[in-house]
């Protein structure tokens, strides 16, 4: 892989990684700081703060994992470094 190709691949990969880490930090830490305020909102009989702590964050983490894998594969294919299927 040429140097400019490596730099482009790393730039895209780094941007994806930082973006996913920001989303992870928001749903892993920031949302939980506001649980008391979120508990005022009730959805299906459960306070939103409880839902986000018990289930919502986990759903986001699983979705984020699939999103990351999909986008990283697209980046790898674009720069010609994808693994063979």
């Amino acid at each position: 892989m040429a140097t400019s190709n490596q730099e482009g691949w790393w730039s895209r990969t780094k941007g994806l990684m930082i973006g996913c880490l920001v989303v992870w930090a928001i749903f892993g830490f920031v949302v939980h700081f506001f649980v008391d305020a979120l508990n005022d909102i009730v959805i299906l009989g459960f306070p939103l703060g409880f839902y986000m702590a018990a289930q919502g964050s986990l759903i986001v983490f699983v979705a984020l994992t699939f999103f990351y894998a999909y986008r990283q594969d697209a980046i790898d294919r674009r720069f010609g470094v994808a693994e063979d299927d």
Side-chain angles (χ1 to χ4, degrees), residues 14 22 34-35 49 54 56 63-65 67-68 70 78 80:
K14 188 170 47 171
V22 167
F34 300 103
V35 167
L64 187 62
T65 301
F67 171 77
Y68 179 82
Y70 174 77
R78 178 178 178 191

Side-chain angles (χ1 to χ4, degrees), residues 2-59:
T3 303
S4 63
N5 203 25
Q6 287 176 337
E7 290 173 2
W9 177 84
W10 179 240
S11 175
R12 294 282 182 139
T13 299
K14 188 170 47 171
L16 175 63
M17 179 179 54
I18 291 170
C20 287
L21 282 173
V22 167
V23 171
W24 172 81
I26 289 170
F27 282 93
F29 297 105
V30 176
V31 168
H32 299 283
F33 288 135
F34 300 103
V35 167
D36 291 333
L38 291 173
N39 280 337
D40 294 336
I41 302 169
V42 177
I43 297 176
L44 299 174
F46 293 101
L48 183 60
F50 169 77
Y51 174 76
M52 287 305 294
Q55 306 254 339
S57 294
L58 296 175
I59 292 169

